[in-house]
Amino acid sequence: MEERLQKYLARCGVASRRKAEEMIRAGRIKVNGQTVTAMGFTVIPGEDQVEVDGKIVSPPEQPVYLLLNKPTGYVTTARDERGRPTVLELVKNIDVRVYPVGRLDMDTEGLLLLTNDGLLAYKLTHPKHEIEKTYHATVRGIPTRKGLEQLRQGIVLDGRKTAPAKVRILKPGKETLVEVVIHEGRNRQVRRMFAEIGHPVVSLRRIKLAFLDLGELKIGAYRHLTAGEVNRLYRIISKSKA
Ligand code: URA
């Protein structure tokens, strides 16, 4: 949608519309490399490049917060050098650039947040905030009481013990469904923890992040967080040991 140049400049926080008109007249504004002095000039936000005194300006982005139910087979990066599908392909009709908050392995499914709010993303993934993540792991065999106790106490991975985990068996069997709550985000942490006690993970799904859960969201679908949920996340990160 076209927009008058002075209005666009005001929206970029450059100056009021009236001041912006003066700046246009004074030859301080370029659009796509050309100085514009005519009044009534219009630009297409997101397409035209607007410069003020040689510096590119752009309007502040609306923050966007998405909760995705990630399927397996998608990588959690913005771009994959091996050409594998990325989670961003699942949120294609969102017209701002969002980034995943933390990471799920390609073979893990479940709850993944995506946002363009860098501050919230940073704080939610910083270990000192100890944001709880709940997983349902299907593991081979039935873990022993001793094995579960090891997970609860912490297991040495890469020479460093994991923080205590909450672990409970939901459904024992040839393959056992186990609920695990951790607040760290070390590489392939849940898989490596179970491998260490001799019960490799067969499949893994994240079902919760802090108070957020998947609800009725289908695999591959996403929804916007509500304003209340965003506020609650901000309250959590401002209250925790920061
Ligand atoms: N732990 C893992 O092993 N994988 C994930 O994707 C998340 C946590």
Side-chain angles (χ1 to χ4, degrees), residues 18-194:
R18 209 164 49 78
K19 278 257 161 57
E21 283 174 10
E22 286 171 22
M23 293 167 82
I24 295 168
R25 261 189 228 103
R28 293 172 61 187
I29 314 299
K30 279 186 186 164
V31 177
N32 301 327
Q34 301 287 323
T35 302
V36 171
T37 52
M39 278 307 122
F41 196 90
T42 58
V43 292
I44 303 175
E47 275 186 30
D48 291 325
Q49 190 181 79
V50 178
E51 289 169 66
V52 177
D53 298 331
K55 261 182 69 179
I56 296 170
V57 294
S58 55
E61 260 184 6
Q62 280 287 101
V64 172
Y65 307 90
L66 307 176
L67 190 160
L68 169 73
N69 189 352
K70 176 195 174 294
T72 58
Y74 285 80
V75 291
T76 311
T77 44
R79 192 174 299 146
D80 184 57
E81 70 281 358
R82 283 156 63 188
R84 295 171 298 184
T86 76
V87 291
L88 296 188
E89 292 169 32
L90 298 164
V91 295
K92 266 199 176 138
N93 38 11
I94 298 292
D95 56 7
V96 297
R97 249 185 118 76
V98 290
Y99 301 89
V101 177
R103 204 147 59 94
L104 289 179
D105 302 331
M106 174 143 151
D107 43 355
T108 301
E109 64 180 41
L111 195 157
L112 184 69
L113 284 186
L114 297 134
T115 183
N116 58 350
D117 180 343
L119 179 68
L120 187 79
Y122 171 77
K123 295 209 166 193
L124 284 176
T125 48
H126 197 292
K128 75 182 171 193
H129 294 293
E130 299 190 356
I131 303 295
E132 284 196 339
K133 285 154 281 195
T134 306
Y135 294 88
H136 279 179
T138 302
V139 306
R140 207 179 302 150
I142 307 177
T144 58
R145 205 178 283 178
K146 183 163 167 254
L148 296 180
E149 205 44 45
Q150 277 177 280
L151 298 181
R152 292 188 183 114
Q153 300 294 325
I155 285 218
V156 178
L157 299 177
D158 308 322
R160 194 161 52 88
K161 217 171 173 191
T162 57
K166 292 179 202 158
V167 189
R168 67 187 177 115
I169 288 186
L170 297 178
K171 197 160 175 264
K174 226 167 113 195
E175 290 182 345
T176 297
L177 182 63
V178 189
E179 184 170 277
V180 189
V181 186
I182 58 172
H183 57 71
E184 295 169 300
R186 291 160 69 176
N187 190 31
R188 295 181 79 81
Q189 180 165 343
V190 174
R191 291 175 198 279
R192 289 197 292 157
M193 284 166 66
F194 279 100

